[in-house]
Amino acid sequence: LSISQLSPAEFSKLVLNASAYKQATKAAFAAGPGQVPQTLEGKLKGRTVAMMFSKRSTRTRVSTEAAVALMGGHPMFLGKDDIQLGVNESLYDTSVVISSMTSCMVARVGPHSDVANLAKDSSVPVINALSDDFHPLQAIADFQTIHEAFATKPAHEASLGLEGMKVAWVGDSNNVLFDMATACVMLGVDIAVASPAGYGIPDRMKEIILGAAKGVAKPGKLIETTVPEEAVKDADILVTDTWVSMGQEAEAQKRLKAFAGFQITNELAKRGGAKPGWKFMHCLPRHPEEVDDEVFYGPQSLVFPEAENRLWAAVSALEAFVVNNGRIL
Ligand code: CP
Ligand code: NVA
């Protein structure tokens, strides 16, 4: 349901498995169209994955459907007008019924309690495909992207070899940030978050993020500021997301005003003193107000490999939670 439910070793393994499946599948595809590596072939044969989405999605939907197809299973997309997800029927009834007929529920919801309640009453694994609080599949793909772009040291058990790096998040403190920050703390990556006053990290989320430091020898630091330049100083990676998340549409005008001055640009990176060779990341969908075209489409942007890595993150999560019953091997 969120990255905080994983140990650093488990999170790292999910990321490394995602990377390994990417390489193996690309090699198999190169050998012939439709070739699937033996390690994935038929892993979900005869199984149905229910995809219950109460919000729009491009990447999460396509990556999950494609991952299930690669593994030989049947992805069943159930949009908000298709089923009674929290409407006209209790979540309990929906969860018991759908889990009696499928092998996994992948759910995109509003309130996090919706996906937590589905999981509580389900007889099959439930994977959070984005809630108002967390986006764990995105965090797996994001660290796969960071690992592929930066890791020089060999990865070991509990880490991806990224200790000492710095991420600068400039923008809204939201669901994508909360799981990314949790992963940063676990892996010894510092994360500086710059949000306008009133849009910082809520205390209950700070507790979850900092809780990830437990048992970690050198956890990453969480730094908070309202000054974008401060966050950007010495950062290896600049990250942002939309200023208006799904469900916040009524606040759009107020938010656009509050976030003025927080757009990521090359000038901001220069003024703030980002590290030479800094990279840019964004989970997408993207709007020009949070990052300009020069950065988004520029040579330091990782956004398209990051989006593609959603497929491999989905493969890795489905293998761990559906094929291996939650054992992350
Ligand atoms: N990044 C992401 O989750 O994109 P979608 O909302 O398009 O699925
Ligand atoms: N923060 C965004 C992420 C979309 C993938 C939202 O919740 O709408």
Side-chain angles (χ1 to χ4, degrees):
L1 298 184
S2 70
I3 297 303
S4 63
Q5 294 183 312
L6 301 168
S7 69
E10 288 173 328
F11 178 70
S12 299
K13 192 73 177 114
L14 282 171
V15 171
L16 293 172
N17 287 349
S19 241
Y21 280 127
K22 177 180 183 176
Q23 279 166 30
T25 309
K26 288 195 176 225
F29 277 11
Q35 301 288 315
V36 175
Q38 261 180 6
T39 43
L40 280 185
E41 195 161 21
K43 281 217 158 171
L44 288 176
K45 187 160 184 271
R47 301 215 231 177
T48 296
V49 173
M51 300 171 55
M52 300 142 73
F53 280 48
S54 66
K55 292 174 180 168
R56 277 192 311 267
S57 170
T58 297
R59 281 139 290 268
T60 309
R61 176 183 179 167
V62 174
S63 61
T64 306
E65 287 205 25
V68 175
L70 268 178
M71 298 165 85
H74 173 62
M76 180 186 282
F77 185 78
L78 303 164
K80 72 171 166 32
D81 297 325
D82 298 323
I83 55 160
Q84 330 250 15
L85 186 57
V87 182
N88 196 34
E89 177 169 78
S90 73
L91 276 175
Y92 175 87
D93 295 357
T94 304
S95 180
V96 171
V97 170
I98 295 187
S99 65
S100 73
M101 304 182 201
T102 64
S103 297
C104 176
M105 289 189 264
V106 176
R108 171 166 283 202
V109 298
H112 185 71
S113 56
D114 282 3
V115 68
N117 282 330
L118 279 176
K120 181 164 65 65
D121 301 316
S122 168
S123 54
V124 297
V126 173
I127 297 177
N128 179 4
L130 180 106
S131 68
D132 287 349
D133 289 355
F134 300 109
H135 199 3
L137 291 168
Q138 186 68 49
I140 298 169
D142 287 353
F143 272 87
Q144 181 189 348
T145 310
I146 296 172
H147 177 66
E148 289 172 355
F150 284 91
T152 46
K153 287 175 268 173
H156 49 86
E157 260 291 278
S159 141
L160 296 172
L162 305 172
E163 299 92 341
M165 284 185 63
K166 180 180 173 187
V167 169
W169 177 283
V170 178
D172 190 23
S173 298
N174 66 13
N175 41 13
V176 172
L177 167 68
F178 302 144
D179 266 334
M180 172 176 255
T182 304
C184 283
V185 168
M186 275 181 183
L187 297 179
V189 172
D190 294 340
I191 176 159
V193 179
S195 302
Y199 294 91
I201 306 173
D203 286 344
R204 69 187 175 95
M205 283 303 165
K206 231 178 288 180
E207 231 171 88
I208 292 172
I209 295 166
L210 296 175
K214 223 166 75 195
V216 177
K218 267 190 100 184
K221 290 195 282 290
L222 174 67
I223 301 139
E224 295 173 87
T225 174
T226 54
V227 183
E229 287 80 357
E230 262 175 46
V232 160
K233 176 110 192 80
D234 293 329
D236 299 280
I237 309 169
L238 275 50
V239 194
T240 194
D241 184 13
T242 181
W243 295 342
V244 186
S245 282
M246 288 181 274
Q248 298 174 331
E249 291 79 4
E251 297 171 37
Q253 285 319 311
K254 193 176 126 208
R255 286 180 157 268
L256 294 185
K257 238 171 109 183
F259 283 83
F262 280 71
Q263 189 193 44
I264 295 188
T265 59
N266 283 327
E267 290 68 40
L268 169 66
K270 208 167 159 197
R271 256 194 341 268
K275 281 218 188 107
W278 61 273
K279 303 285 187 206
F280 174 74
M281 293 176 69
H282 190 310
C283 64
L284 315 184
R286 167 256 179 178
H287 312 89
E289 59 263 16
E290 68 257 11
V291 54
D292 71 0
D293 280 358
E294 197 185 8
V295 171
F296 187 81
Y297 294 110
Q300 68 270 58
S301 177
L302 298 176
V303 297
F304 294 119
E306 178 183 5
E308 184 202 318
N309 284 341
R310 291 296 310 274
L311 171 60
W312 312 112
V315 166
S316 179
L318 287 165
E319 186 203 32
F321 294 104
V322 188
V323 180
N324 295 333
N325 288 318
R327 281 171 301 127
I328 304 173
L329 306 170

